[in-house]
């Protein structure tokens, strides 16, 4: 693996249910930023944190943010999937994957873990992120599912007309895109709590045109962001181990 790699790896045959540390260390710092965090600022902050974690100067960290409306392009993004390039700013990013949307009402969690103290297995890490999201959704009575041919978490929508004849309609509720540097992960996941779903129409989300996009609110779950954050943290600890309230390093 190169020193800095953007990855969306192939699927594991059996997904792990945990991705716990194998060596002693500090709990994962859990940091929530209030308000809207500009995307560029979040990327700069991740860069600093990843360097500090790799150097052993900072604990592993999960950073939870909301962004102003923006489209981001992963390393596999096809320009034709940007349907409305003038609608929102477009940021070329180093994470794996294609185009995605970030905006108010969507919880973005940037996950910076040191795989050297866990498992140097990127496929298992991505499967563990999916497990975290599936458990979180289950706590809100939503059945999230994996798909063999696409990364992320999906929900079946049998009440909707199928976009592909004969297929069961389904929508994406959470996206995953990661990057590694010196075996420290960054970027991470986004969970649609109550974003404006029409904003996704300016792109082909994650390169998948035959399925839709949904949110907790769209599914009838009227949970606020603080409530969702509590459940995310509880389920993260089940999969990845203990957390502790954290603070950001000084710039």
């Amino acid at each position: 693996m190169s020193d800095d790699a953007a990855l969306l790896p192939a699927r594991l045959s059996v997904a792990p249910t945990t991705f716990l540390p194998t060596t002693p260390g500090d709990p994962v710092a859990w940091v929530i930023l209030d308000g809207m965090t500009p995307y560029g600022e979040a990327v700069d902050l991740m860069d600093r944190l990843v360097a500090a974690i790799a150097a052993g100067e900072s604990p592993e960290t999960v950073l939870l943010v909301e962004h102003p409306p923006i489209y981001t392009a992963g390393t596999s993004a096809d320009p034709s999937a940007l349907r409305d390039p003038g609608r929102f700013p477009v940021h070329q990013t180093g994470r794996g994957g294609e185009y995605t949307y970030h905006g108010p009402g969507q919880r973005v969690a940037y996950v910076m873990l040191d795989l050297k103290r866990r498992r140097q297995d990127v496929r298992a890490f991505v499967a563990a992120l999916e497990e975290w999201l599936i458990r979180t959704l289950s706590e809100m009575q939503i059945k999230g599912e994996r798909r063999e041919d696409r990364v992320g978490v999906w929900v079946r929508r049998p009440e909707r007309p199928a976009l592909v004849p004969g297929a069961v309609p389904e929508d994406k509720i959470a996206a995953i895109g990661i990057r590694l540097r010196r075996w420290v992960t960054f970027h991470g996941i986004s969970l649609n709590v109550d974003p404006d779903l029409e904003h996704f129409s300016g792109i082909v989300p994650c390169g998948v045109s035959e399925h839709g996009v949904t949110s907790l609110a769209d599914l009838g779950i009227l949970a606020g962001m603080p409530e969702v954050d509590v459940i995310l943290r509880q389920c993260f600890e089940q999969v990845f181990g203990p957390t502790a309230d954290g603070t950001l390093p000084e710039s």
Side-chain angles (χ1 to χ4, degrees):
M1 178 181 292
S2 64
D3 183 61
D4 196 338
L7 299 161
L8 278 175
R11 182 68 65 203
L12 283 174
S13 58
V14 178
T17 57
T18 61
F19 201 79
L20 300 170
T22 58
T23 59
D26 294 330
V28 177
W30 191 266
V31 181
I32 301 175
L33 298 186
D34 295 328
M36 295 293 126
T37 302
Y39 188 81
E41 289 185 14
V43 171
D44 291 343
L45 181 54
M46 277 194 288
D47 283 339
R48 298 203 316 270
L49 284 167
V50 167
I53 294 167
E57 298 169 354
S58 182
E60 297 176 304
T61 300
V62 175
L63 177 66
L64 290 89
V65 304
E66 285 182 86
H67 290 307
I70 189 171
Y71 295 134
T72 68
T75 55
S76 303
D78 180 345
S80 67
L82 183 59
R83 292 168 167 164
D84 189 356
R87 188 172 194 176
F88 297 126
V90 179
H91 188 101
Q92 301 293 324
T93 182
R95 62 162 174 79
E98 303 191 44
Y99 283 102
T100 194
Y101 165 77
H102 295 313
Q106 182 189 70
R107 177 50 88 205
V108 177
Y110 293 121
V111 182
M112 289 157 280
L113 301 182
D114 186 353
L115 298 196
K116 296 189 300 296
R117 67 178 294 252
R118 294 174 180 269
R119 251 192 291 175
Q120 290 175 262
D121 186 332
V122 181
R123 290 181 297 172
F125 172 63
V126 170
L129 292 175
E130 291 174 336
E131 178 70 19
W132 171 31
L133 289 162
I134 288 168
R135 292 188 187 204
T136 298
L137 293 168
S138 179
E139 290 293 321
M140 291 178 277
Q141 312 306 312
I142 294 173
K143 182 176 175 56
E145 299 179 339
R146 297 178 174 87
R147 291 292 175 261
E148 291 297 320
D149 57 342
R150 36 196 154 93
V151 172
V153 176
W154 303 78
V155 294
R156 296 174 186 261
R157 305 299 302 273
E159 75 280 9
R160 291 192 172 182
L163 297 178
V164 177
V168 175
E170 56 187 42
D171 291 339
K172 191 170 194 174
I173 193 168
I176 295 173
I178 66 166
R179 189 172 178 179
L180 265 69
R181 182 178 297 154
R182 296 171 61 188
W183 286 106
V184 177
T185 67
F186 58 126
H187 294 279
I189 65 99
S190 60
L191 174 63
N192 296 332
V193 178
D194 189 15
D196 186 336
L197 295 179
E198 202 278 328
H199 289 175
F200 285 89
S201 67
I203 56 172
V204 178
C206 302
V208 179
S209 59
E210 63 268 30
H211 301 292
V213 180
T214 191
S215 67
L216 297 180
D218 185 48
L219 295 171
I221 306 300
L222 303 180
M225 198 68 76
E227 179 184 353
V228 172
D229 288 343
V230 169
I231 299 171
L232 278 168
R233 186 169 184 173
Q234 291 171 345
C235 294
F236 180 91
E237 291 183 335
Q238 294 170 13
V239 176
F240 294 99
T243 66
D245 292 342
T247 57
L248 296 176
E250 294 183 4
S251 57

